[in-house]
Amino acid sequence: MPKKISAVTRFCIAVLLMVSCRSAYFTRYQQKTLDKYVWKTKQHLSKTAQLKLLVDRRIKLNPHSVAKNFYPVLDNVSKKLSKIHHKLRCQIASNQAMPRYEIRKIKRALHSTHQLLNKTNQHILNGTEHVLKSDVLFEVGSAQLRAAGVVSLNQFAQYFKHKVLSVYRAQMQVKLNITGYADEQGFVRGESDQQRKEKNRLLSLNRATAIKQYLSIVLNQKFANADKEVMLDVNAEGKGEQLPPKLRNPQQNDHRRRVCTVSSYTILKTGAQLPIIQRNIPKRILTNPSPIKD
């Protein structure tokens, strides 16, 4: 006669069966979850690659574009996503359950990456690559703004203000990079090529600096009057006789070489290292030419 199974034994067997079934259920559920996160990771990697292509296009328009600052950000995102993708693939191949805290960690990482990529997309698309003609802004061989140059810069500042404020409604950082160029005209007879190149480099730098100083004043006023908190970071550099972007078949005396390029982007949630432009700015003594108010 076979021995009867006691009630306690039957209860233990039932519990073991329930646990095994529940473990199998969680394994199938985790499989679907991990597959979903693998798919999301691939989507984010594809989006990152597309954003790099957008940056490449702006770099082709202007080799000195500030859009190149996005390369380190996008590279870090690619490395982070690649690590997550490799970890998920190894976990699926091992056919072992992943701890819940690890799943939650990956979920948060993918969510924050999704938000970062969306904002970066806006920052790149809403940037500017603008060309200012030095013949309009300055006298020949001078870094002093002309009256026509003041009008031109005021028009650009008004355009830039509307472009920035029409997109963003929060605290922001505006990054502007102004690059000056010059042709190969000399200043005095008998000067060497090295002397001419150095003088043209200084001329292009002084012109870019003059634009920087003027636009800083005008944009400070416009952003303050717009009732926004803006962090303005303006940089100027002079490239001298280097060729401006996309210039073909240049001549020694070529007006297309006498330009200043303006490259910009805007970022939300800025750092604290830059000064914040307050709403009420004390009046400043402006040198000629003075900006035109709205």
Side-chain angles (χ1 to χ4, degrees):
M1 293 291 294
K3 295 183 178 179
K4 292 184 178 180
I5 301 176
S6 64
V8 175
T9 304
R10 288 197 298 270
F11 175 77
C12 293
I13 293 173
V15 170
L16 290 174
L17 289 174
M18 291 176 61
V19 169
S20 62
C21 292
R22 190 167 180 80
S23 298
Y25 167 76
F26 276 121
T27 301
R28 291 194 299 270
Y29 173 77
Q30 276 206 351
Q31 180 72 30
K32 292 182 180 180
T33 302
L34 297 181
D35 288 340
K36 179 179 71 173
Y37 289 157
V38 167
W39 178 82
K40 284 187 175 182
T41 304
K42 290 182 178 179
Q43 292 295 314
H44 292 345
L45 284 170
S46 176
K47 180 68 173 179
T48 305
Q50 293 175 7
L51 292 178
K52 287 184 178 181
L53 289 177
L54 290 178
V55 175
D56 290 339
R57 292 174 186 173
R58 287 192 59 180
I59 297 298
K60 288 181 179 179
L61 292 175
N62 181 8
H64 307 294
S65 171
V66 290
K68 60 186 178 183
N69 294 344
F70 288 107
Y71 277 131
V73 177
L74 295 175
D75 287 340
N76 289 334
V77 171
S78 296
K79 293 178 181 178
K80 179 180 178 181
L81 290 174
S82 297
K83 289 181 180 179
I84 293 176
H85 183 263
H86 178 72
K87 184 175 183 178
L88 290 171
R89 297 298 299 175
C90 291
Q91 193 69 37
I92 293 174
S94 66
N95 200 23
Q96 294 180 358
M98 178 179 283
R100 290 187 179 182
Y101 74 89
E102 287 286 349
I103 295 179
R104 288 193 295 266
K105 184 178 178 181
I106 291 176
K107 181 179 179 181
R108 289 193 298 267
L110 292 177
H111 178 70
S112 61
T113 302
H114 175 72
Q115 293 181 327
L116 175 62
L117 291 176
N118 284 340
K119 289 181 180 179
T120 303
N121 184 42
Q122 293 181 1
H123 300 156
I124 296 173
L125 292 178
N126 290 291
T128 59
E129 300 294 340
H130 203 80
V131 178
L132 302 172
K133 297 181 179 180
S134 296
D135 289 352
V136 176
L137 301 178
F138 306 98
E139 296 289 350
V140 177
S142 172
Q144 181 68 32
L145 283 171
R146 303 170 54 191
V150 174
V151 175
S152 178
L153 288 181
N154 282 328
Q155 292 174 348
F156 171 77
Q158 186 68 17
Y159 154 78
F160 188 75
K161 168 194 169 184
H162 287 303
K163 183 175 182 63
V164 171
L165 298 182
S166 63
V167 179
Y168 300 105
R169 292 288 180 265
Q171 186 184 25
M172 66 191 79
Q173 174 187 355
V174 177
K175 173 73 176 180
L176 278 163
N177 190 65
I178 303 167
T179 306
Y181 298 88
D183 58 17
E184 296 182 7
Q185 288 189 83
F187 290 79
V188 294
R189 291 183 179 180
E191 62 183 355
S192 64
D193 290 344
Q194 188 63 31
Q195 290 174 332
R196 186 199 71 239
K197 290 181 180 180
E198 179 61 18
K199 289 181 179 179
N200 280 324
R201 187 192 68 81
L202 292 176
L203 176 63
S204 64
L205 175 60
N206 292 336
R207 285 179 169 179
T209 302
I211 296 174
K212 168 188 173 180
Q213 293 173 348
Y214 186 79
L215 284 181
S216 296
I217 295 172
V218 176
L219 291 176
N220 280 355
Q221 292 180 344
K222 290 184 178 295
F223 287 136
N225 295 335
D227 197 27
K228 300 287 182 182
E229 285 189 343
V230 180
M231 298 178 183
L232 190 62
D233 183 14
V234 187
N235 181 57
E237 57 182 346
K239 296 298 181 180
E241 297 179 3
Q242 292 186 30
L243 293 180
K246 303 187 72 174
L247 180 59
R248 299 293 182 269
N249 301 321
Q251 300 176 2
Q252 183 178 5
N253 181 8
D254 195 330
H255 67 91
R256 297 174 299 169
R257 301 179 66 170
R258 300 190 294 270
V259 297
C260 289
T261 61
V262 180
S263 178
S264 71
Y265 63 81
T266 305
I267 294 182
L268 302 181
K269 294 183 179 180
T270 55
Q273 69 274 14
L274 297 175
I276 297 178
I277 301 172
Q278 302 296 337
R279 298 177 183 177
N280 298 322
I281 297 181
K283 294 183 178 180
R284 303 176 61 177
I285 301 176
L286 305 177
T287 58
N288 266 341
S290 60
I292 299 175
K293 297 183 179 180
D294 296 338

